[in-house]
Amino acid sequence: MSIWNHRLLLIPALLLAGCLPEKEKVTPTFSEPVYSQQYRHRSITAIVTLSETNIPTSGKIQLMVDVHAPADTEVILPNLGSLVAPLSIGDSYSEPVQSLPNKKVLHRQVWTLLPALPGRVRLQPLEISAGTITLETAPVDVHVTSLLPDGVEGFEIKDITDPLELLPEEEQRKQLGLIAGATAAGLILLIFSIKLIRRPKRMVVLTPHQKARAALQELPHDEMEKIQALNEILLAFVENYFNVSMAGKTLGEVCAALPKKALLGRRIKLEEFLTISEQARYSHIVSDHFPEEMEQFTIKFINETPEEPS
C-alpha cells in the first residue's frame, strides 16, 4: 500500500476521534472528611470525623461526632473545653435527632475549630456516654502550618520611606496656607491686645478712713513737716467724711460748718488742735510733745468716727 493510501485512511480516523464524546473530568470533592474513625460497643456506635488534619493558621476544622443508639437511650456528647486546646471553638451546633432504618436514632454534634499558632496540636480523647455505655475515642494529631515563607519567623518591618516631594503647585498652596494661618493668628492677637488695652481699668475707691490710715503710714520724721502732714490728713478726712468744702474758708468757717451732732463733743478738741497746728506752722514754735500729741489725736479722731456717716 502506498503512502498516499495510508494518509487517506488516517483522515477518517481523525474525524471519527474528534466526534467521540469527551471523558468527564473528575473534580475532587472536599465534602468527604480526611479523618473518620468508628467506635462500637454492643448497640452503640460512635463515629468521629475531621474535615482537615493539616491546615494553615488561617483555616478551620469541622469536627463532627455521630452516635447511633436505640431510641430510648440517653446520649451525652462530650463538652470539648480544653480537650482541643490550643485550638479554639468558633461555632457549634446540634442537629435534630434522626431516625435510622435499623430502628436506631442518630445524635449529631458539630464544632468548628480555629487554629492559633503553627505547630502540631493533639486533640485529646473524647468520652461519649450512651445509657450505661461509655466510649472513649483515640487522640488525633492536627498539623497547623504557617502562612509565612520558610525560615521567616515574622513579617519584616521595612523602613519608612522618605516623604514624597511636593509639586510646585502643591508647595505654593502649602506656603499660602501657612501665610494665611500666620496672618489670621496675628490679627486675632492684635484684636485681643487692643481690647485688653482699651478695657477700662477697675478703679478702687477708698473710704475716708482708708485714705487717712494709708497717709498716716507715710508721715515724715521732721517735726514741722509731720505737723503739716497731720494737719492735711485731718482736714482731708473731715472734708471727705462730712462732705464739707474747705475751699476759700478760714479755720473758723470750716469748724462752724461741721455738724455738731456727728462730732459728739469732739468739736472743741478738734478746733484746738487745728488752731495750734496752724499757729505752729506759721510761728515755727512747737512744743516738745505737740507732734506726738497731734498724731495720737488724729489717729483717735479717725478711729472714733463711725465708718458710715449717720
Side-chain angles (χ1 to χ4, degrees), residues 190-218:
L190 178 61
I191 295 174
F192 178 77
S193 301
I194 293 174
K195 288 185 177 181
L196 187 64
I197 293 173
R198 291 184 176 181
R199 186 175 62 181
K201 296 182 179 180
R202 185 179 178 182
M203 301 298 294
V204 179
V205 180
L206 300 178
T207 64
H209 288 75
Q210 292 173 335
K211 292 180 180 179
R213 288 165 182 160
L216 288 173
Q217 299 296 324
E218 301 179 358

Side-chain angles (χ1 to χ4, degrees), residues 14-212:
L14 293 175
L15 293 175
L16 182 61
C19 296
L20 292 177
E22 294 183 358
K23 294 183 179 180
E24 295 184 359
K25 295 182 179 180
V26 179
T27 303
T29 176
F30 297 97
S31 60
E32 294 295 328
V34 300
Y35 174 88
S36 180
Q37 187 65 42
Q38 179 175 303
Y39 303 89
R40 178 177 296 179
H41 184 72
R42 296 181 186 173
S43 60
I44 306 300
T45 302
I47 304 172
V48 178
T49 59
L50 290 174
S51 62
E52 300 288 344
T53 57
N54 190 355
I55 60 170
T57 51
S58 61
K60 59 183 178 180
I61 301 172
Q62 187 181 68
L63 169 62
M64 184 168 61
V65 175
D66 289 346
V67 179
H68 300 189
D72 57 349
T73 304
E74 181 183 6
V75 176
I76 301 176
L77 296 174
N79 183 11
L80 296 188
S82 61
L83 298 178
V84 296
L87 300 180
S88 60
I89 301 175
D91 188 20
S92 66
Y93 63 91
S94 298
E95 293 187 359
V97 178
Q98 304 177 27
S99 298
L100 300 176
N102 57 0
K103 298 182 181 180
K104 293 184 179 181
V105 294
L106 169 63
H107 301 265
R108 173 173 291 174
Q109 178 76 26
V110 182
W111 296 269
T112 300
L113 307 181
L114 304 176
L117 299 176
R120 193 188 72 161
V121 178
R122 169 158 291 189
L123 305 184
Q124 300 301 319
L126 308 178
E127 288 190 355
I128 303 169
S129 298
T132 59
I133 299 174
T134 300
L135 297 177
E136 182 174 340
T137 67
V140 183
D141 289 338
V142 175
H143 297 274
V144 181
T145 58
S146 175
L147 294 176
L148 299 177
D150 294 339
V152 179
E153 296 181 356
F155 288 110
E156 180 182 359
I157 300 176
K158 298 182 179 180
D159 295 335
I160 299 175
T161 58
D162 296 332
L164 298 176
E165 294 184 1
L166 298 178
L167 297 175
E169 297 81 1
E170 295 175 334
E171 185 67 29
Q172 184 178 6
R173 285 197 296 268
K174 180 181 178 182
Q175 295 295 335
L176 291 177
L178 293 176
I179 295 173
T183 303
L187 183 60
I188 294 174
L189 181 61
L190 178 61
I191 295 174
F192 178 77
S193 301
I194 293 174
K195 288 185 177 181
L196 187 64
I197 293 173
R198 291 184 176 181
R199 186 175 62 181
K201 296 182 179 180
R202 185 179 178 182
M203 301 298 294
V204 179
V205 180
L206 300 178
T207 64
H209 288 75
Q210 292 173 335
K211 292 180 180 179

Side-chain angles (χ1 to χ4, degrees), residues 3 6 11 28 66-67 71 104 106 115 152 206 214 216 233 235 256 273 276 280 289 296:
I3 189 171
H6 285 288
I11 292 174
D66 289 346
V67 179
K104 293 184 179 181
L106 169 63
V152 179
L206 300 178
L216 288 173
I233 293 172
L235 289 175
F273 269 90
I276 297 175
H289 303 290
Q296 296 298 326

